[in-house]
């Protein structure tokens, strides 16, 4: 199953079958006491959730009638009652009849929804036949903690769930690859009954974020990062504030950052705030991608409008493009991909623009106001650590500005390959400490040495930093790396990785939207969150 038929028109016509109202945001309550759950309910309401899921299996001493009566009546939001058994990934290990009795009681006491597992749903649903209150709905759920089956198998599963008399179908699978989400999207779009489709795990995150695009009945958002009820669940606050969940519709364009790892990326924060500030119908998400080609083959319609590309895909993604900007082609790495209206993919490299302009401004500050003629990098000895995608960007960008480039890499062959392309010199990282043919050199680190969690490491010794007038570090988690701290202590001008991030972001935004980037907004957000 290569390219899926995701067309906007198809989505809109089918979403009238599956749902007429926007996707609900449900927050699971994981408190171990009734009082804790009451506090959590209030919090969920304050955050902006629509429904709370009362997870009875989390309660330590559950006393069905008084506890349910209290929780259902006191809840400031509609309630979904779940009593998940161990055999379906929950915590309840007791008697099955008692468990189902509690769910029937929840219905009688005014719960809005209950969630019952497919395995017991036929018997359970026949036991309440004719007794259901008017607006009460039964969610019949199936959880697969191993993988995401084929589209055909999921279709059969939906039919089985429907056959039990479910009001709402819930399917949760596990993502082994981000493309697994496509099969769940397909089911949600074409389902004639209200459907909750979730792909668990970090690779399944987009199934949760994009639920409103594909007509999902409901999606789950945790109260806080530590209180998730299933793997890969985002917080309700992030869904609403970071991903603009309420603004996502069937025709919303999807952008994102592809990488591995990718969860640390601040890009969604910048782009979603920018989109919202100008009212663009677009969302920007984290794409944890293992296989770039498979990703582009699967998500191939114009609704998947473009992406930023980070480690380790900046080179592999090149092979999936229809068109490559000439400078990006020379660098041999891309970080910005735009889908044209005809569906083709065009790639750019905005890293080198972001980093080089930040370094130039740093040098200008050092030399007093430099005449606007030429680049302050012209003639400088420019040492790049690392020969990967970002290393190539900086080496090529600096050479283009007239700098004399030295490339240092863990393996000499890779350093030499890049140095030859830019007419520079090559060495291993181990040799950099003793390399100082002149004073006032410029250093650019593009290795991951010093990145979280190993923040006490630095790629070169403090002693050797005194030969540099400016030091740039592409790492931005943490903002202040050990390398930058030590460079400042030796008197060099420092340029943060966040500066490259912001400036290359300006360029990407321009490529994505055709509009100038809201630079002040980007800067305020980076200042606040980085």
């Amino acid at each position: 199953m290569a390219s899926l038929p995701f067309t906007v028109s198809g989505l809109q016509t089918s979403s009238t079958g599956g749902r007429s109202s926007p996707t609900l945001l449900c927050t699971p309550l994981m408190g171990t006491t009734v009082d804790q759950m009451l506090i959590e309910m209030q919090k969920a309401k304050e955050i902006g959730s629509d429904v709370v899921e009362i997870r009875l299996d989390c309660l330590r001493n559950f006393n069905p009638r008084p506890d349910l009566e209290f929780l259902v009546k006191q809840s400031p939001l509609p309630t979904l009652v779940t009593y998940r058994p161990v055999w379906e990934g929950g915590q309840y290990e007791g008697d099955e009849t008692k468990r189902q009795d509690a769910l029937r009681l929840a219905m009688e006491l005014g719960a809005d929804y209950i969630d019952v597992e497919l395995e017991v749903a036929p018997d359970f649903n026949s036991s309440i036949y004719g007794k259901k209150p008017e607006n009460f709905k039964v969610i019949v759920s199936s959880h697969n903690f191993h993988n995401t089956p084929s589209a055909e198998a999921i279709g059969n599963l939906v039919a089985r769930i429907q056959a039990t008399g479910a009001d709402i179908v819930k399917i949760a699978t596990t993502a082994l690859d981000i493309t697994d989400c496509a099969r769940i999207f397909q089911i949600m779009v074409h389902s004639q009954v209200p459907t909750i489709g979730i792909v668990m795990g970090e690779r399944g995150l987009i199934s949760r974020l994009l639920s409103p695009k594909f007509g999902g009945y409901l999606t789950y958002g945790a109260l806080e990062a530590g209180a998730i009820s299933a793997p890969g669940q985002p917080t309700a606050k992030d869904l609403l504030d970071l991903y603009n969940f309420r603004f996502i519709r069937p025709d919303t364009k999807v952008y994102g950052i592809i990488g591995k790892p990718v969860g640390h990326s601040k890009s969604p924060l910048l782009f979603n705030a920018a989109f919202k500030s100008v009212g663009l119908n677009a969302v920007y998400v984290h794409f944890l991608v293992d296989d770039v080609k498979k990703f582009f083959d699967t998500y191939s319609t114009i609704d998947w409008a473009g992406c930023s590309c980070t480690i380790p895909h900046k080179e592999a993604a090149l092979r999936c493009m229809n068109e490559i900007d000439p400078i990006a082609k020379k660098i041999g790495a891309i970080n910005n991909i735009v889908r044209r209206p005809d569906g083709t993919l065009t790639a750019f490299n905005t890293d080198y623009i972001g980093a080089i302009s930040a370094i130039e401004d740093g040098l200008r500050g050092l030399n007093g106001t430099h005449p606007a003629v030429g680049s302050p990098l012209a003639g400088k000895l420019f040492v790049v650590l690392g020969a990967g995608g970002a290393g190539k960007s900086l080496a090529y960008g600096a050479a283009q500005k007239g700098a004399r480039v030295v490339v240092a890499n863990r393996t000499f062959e890779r350093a030499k390959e890049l140095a030859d392309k830019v007419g520079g010199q090559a060495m291993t990282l181990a040799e950099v400490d003793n390399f100082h043919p002149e004073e006032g050199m410029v250093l650019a680190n593009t290795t991951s040495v010093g990145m979280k969690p190993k923040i006490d490491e630095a790629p070169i010794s403090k002693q050797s930093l005194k030969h540099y007038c400016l030091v740039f570090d592409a790492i931005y988690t943490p903002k202040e790396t050990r390398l930058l701290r030590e460079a400042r202590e030796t008197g060099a001008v420092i340029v943060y990785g966040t500066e490259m991030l912001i400036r290359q972001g300006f360029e990407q935004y321009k490529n994505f939207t055709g509009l100038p980037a809201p630079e002040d907004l980007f800067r305020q957000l980076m200042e606040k969150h980085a």
Side-chain angles (χ1 to χ4, degrees):
M1 197 174 93
S3 162
L4 288 170
F6 285 146
T7 59
V8 181
S9 57
L11 276 176
Q12 285 166 327
T13 50
S14 63
S15 68
T16 52
R19 63 151 196 193
S20 51
S21 58
T23 302
L24 298 171
L25 173 54
C26 175
T27 292
L29 310 179
M30 312 284 287
T32 54
T33 67
V34 168
D35 291 335
Q36 253 179 322
M37 280 195 176
L38 189 65
I39 293 166
E40 290 174 347
M41 285 172 170
Q42 303 294 349
K43 273 194 199 156
K45 183 170 171 67
E46 283 159 29
I47 288 171
S49 302
D50 301 307
V51 182
V52 287
E53 180 183 33
I54 298 170
R55 281 291 296 260
L56 297 179
D57 51 307
C58 294
L59 290 171
R60 287 226 183 90
N61 305 305
F62 173 52
N63 196 341
R65 189 167 282 277
D67 290 356
L68 274 168
E69 191 142 25
F70 179 77
L71 288 167
V72 171
K73 296 277 186 286
Q74 294 296 315
S75 177
L77 292 169
T79 52
L80 155 54
V81 175
T82 302
Y83 203 175
R84 193 75 74 219
V86 169
W87 50 262
E88 190 84 1
Q91 298 180 37
Y92 180 74
E93 296 189 76
D95 176 71
E96 181 58 23
T97 312
K98 281 187 180 156
R99 188 178 78 85
Q100 293 188 31
D101 284 344
L103 291 172
R104 280 185 281 266
L105 186 59
M107 172 185 85
E108 286 160 30
L109 293 172
D112 297 272
Y113 307 89
I114 58 166
D115 176 326
V116 61
E117 301 73 22
L118 173 58
E119 198 164 318
V120 298
D123 293 345
F124 181 87
N125 282 342
S126 53
S127 80
I128 61 169
Y129 185 75
K131 300 174 191 166
K132 282 160 66 171
E134 196 184 347
N135 289 322
F136 167 81
K137 290 187 168 60
V138 177
I139 298 169
V140 174
S141 61
S142 160
H143 297 77
N144 177 334
F145 295 99
H146 306 291
N147 59 14
T148 299
S150 67
E152 189 186 5
I154 298 170
N156 293 339
L157 187 59
V158 170
R160 267 181 65 204
I161 293 174
Q162 275 182 263
T164 66
D167 298 303
I168 297 165
V169 170
K170 176 184 173 189
I171 292 182
T173 64
T174 297
L176 303 181
D177 189 274
I178 192 168
T179 57
D180 292 345
C181 300
R183 301 199 286 285
I184 290 292
F185 290 149
Q186 203 177 25
I187 290 293
M188 281 172 20
V189 163
H190 297 296
S191 174
Q192 293 309 303
V193 282
T195 303
I196 300 166
I198 282 164
V199 189
M200 297 180 286
E202 200 189 342
R203 286 167 176 78
L205 177 65
I206 62 170
S207 70
R208 300 170 179 280
L209 307 182
L210 300 178
S211 194
K213 179 168 178 62
F214 298 106
Y217 183 82
L218 166 161
T219 196
Y220 298 85
L223 262 190
E224 45 228 15
I228 62 171
S229 64
Q233 196 174 81
T235 63
K237 195 172 176 351
D238 276 352
L239 277 169
L240 294 169
D241 300 343
L242 171 59
Y243 299 109
N244 299 334
F245 180 77
R246 297 284 186 223
F247 297 92
I248 301 173
R249 309 194 298 260
D251 59 346
T252 296
K253 292 244 182 275
V254 182
Y255 296 90
I257 176 160
I258 62 173
K260 184 186 177 181
V262 78
H264 64 282
S265 169
K266 300 273 198 299
S267 298
L269 187 85
L270 300 182
F271 285 102
N272 286 323
F275 293 159
K276 192 176 174 182
S277 73
V278 295
L280 268 185
N281 182 15
V283 64
Y284 186 105
V285 299
H286 292 94
F287 291 128
L288 177 58
V289 171
D290 297 280
D291 180 331
V292 185
K293 185 175 184 324
K294 195 172 168 186
F295 174 82
F296 286 119
D297 284 348
T298 304
Y299 301 113
S300 59
T301 60
I302 55 170
D303 273 21
W304 302 88
C307 53
S308 312
C309 184
T310 184
I311 297 165
H313 299 315
K314 294 187 177 195
E315 290 157 21
L318 264 175
R319 297 189 281 279
C320 306
M321 298 299 116
N322 302 98
E323 196 185 329
I324 301 160
D325 175 76
I327 293 176
K329 202 172 219 162
K330 281 186 181 159
I331 292 171
I334 57 178
N335 72 321
N336 180 218
I337 297 162
V338 176
R339 194 181 296 282
R340 301 290 182 210
D342 65 358
T344 58
L345 295 169
T346 302
F348 302 91
N349 186 312
T350 68
D351 277 338
Y352 86 97
I353 300 174
I356 295 295
S357 72
I359 291 167
E360 286 180 323
D361 284 353
L363 288 172
R364 285 190 188 104
L366 190 67
N367 311 339
T369 48
H370 212 38
V373 184
S375 167
L377 273 170
K380 282 273 183 204
L381 197 54
F382 190 96
V383 180
V384 183
L385 308 182
K392 286 178 178 173
S393 300
L394 276 137
Y396 187 83
Q400 198 199 19
K401 299 288 187 178
R404 294 169 290 139
V405 177
V406 178
V407 180
N409 195 55
R410 204 164 35 91
T411 56
F412 178 76
E413 297 73 35
R414 198 143 184 216
K416 180 154 175 34
E417 194 188 333
L418 175 55
D420 287 349
K421 276 185 189 158
V422 298
Q425 191 182 340
M427 62 179 68
T428 64
L429 284 173
E431 296 172 274
V432 178
D433 277 353
N434 300 316
F435 176 77
H436 41 85
E438 60 187 67
E439 301 305 311
M441 301 187 291
V442 174
L443 181 71
N445 174 46
T446 73
T447 72
S448 58
V449 180
M451 189 172 179
K452 272 184 186 171
K454 300 183 178 174
I455 57 169
D456 49 357
E457 296 181 1
I460 75 169
S461 71
K462 184 174 182 179
Q463 180 59 23
S464 55
L465 285 171
K466 62 174 188 281
H467 306 290
Y468 295 89
C469 68
L470 181 145
V471 175
F472 163 79
D473 197 337
I475 292 170
Y476 61 91
T477 54
K479 179 179 178 179
E480 176 101 342
T481 56
R482 178 178 168 183
L483 173 68
L484 292 179
R485 190 172 66 246
E486 293 182 342
R488 185 197 285 120
E489 286 162 6
T490 55
V493 168
I494 63 169
V495 177
Y496 291 111
T498 46
E499 197 52 37
M500 164 169 157
L501 184 74
I502 286 176
R503 292 179 184 225
Q504 63 81 26
F506 294 165
E507 290 294 313
Q508 293 208 40
Y509 184 88
K510 203 164 73 189
N511 290 341
F512 285 152
T513 64
L515 303 167
E519 298 192 6
D520 291 344
L521 178 65
F522 270 37
R523 288 194 181 281
Q524 282 161 17
L525 287 165
M526 285 304 286
E527 205 49 50
K528 190 173 158 193
H529 297 278

